[in-house]
Amino acid sequence: MLEMISEATTAPSSVNLQPWRFVVVESEAAKEKLHPLIRFNTKQNEESSAMVLIFGDLRCHDLTEEIYDQAHTAGKMPKEVRDQQVQAIVPHYEAFSKTQMNDVVKIDASLAAMQFMLIARAHGYETNPIGGFEKDQ
């Protein structure tokens, strides 16, 4: 599972902010907690080996410096480019409305979700996307 998630997180994202957060639910106790939140998808929860939840981080831009520092340290980006990107990205994202930020994060997290599904298939597993859940909970 960790290998597949690691592979999935190579998916592209807007300005490389990687706003996805994976949670793997596989124990019976954890699936029981999940049960009331997915009332139309309980069969998948009961019968699957695991439920992989993918959340979007609306504050992903708080990690801009850390992400771009890693790129610079790995030799993938000159320091000047790193500095320029950080100075441009953070204020731009800070200016987004919650709706705008939600749209960006939803697209990026969806790319990671799709990548995960394709990778799981390549590893011999079947997946099923679920969009029906209790958003307010």
Side-chain angles (χ1 to χ4, degrees), residues 11-15 18-20 54-58 60 93 96 99-115:
S13 64
S14 301
V15 295
Q18 308 159 19
W20 43 72
I54 303 173
F55 293 92
D57 181 355
L58 296 175
C60 60
Y93 271 62
F96 281 164
T99 300
Q100 289 171 310
M101 193 65 193
N102 188 57
D103 289 347
V104 169
V105 168
K106 193 182 295 185
I107 290 168
D108 288 350
S110 294
L111 290 169
M114 186 174 83
Q115 179 107 332

Side-chain angles (χ1 to χ4, degrees), residues 64-65 68-69 72 77-91:
T64 304
E65 288 191 39
Y68 280 77
D69 284 347
H72 170 65
M77 179 181 295
K79 183 165 182 358
E80 305 78 44
V81 173
R82 177 250 178 241
D83 294 345
Q84 180 185 29
Q85 289 293 94
V86 169
Q87 289 173 3
I89 291 167
V90 174

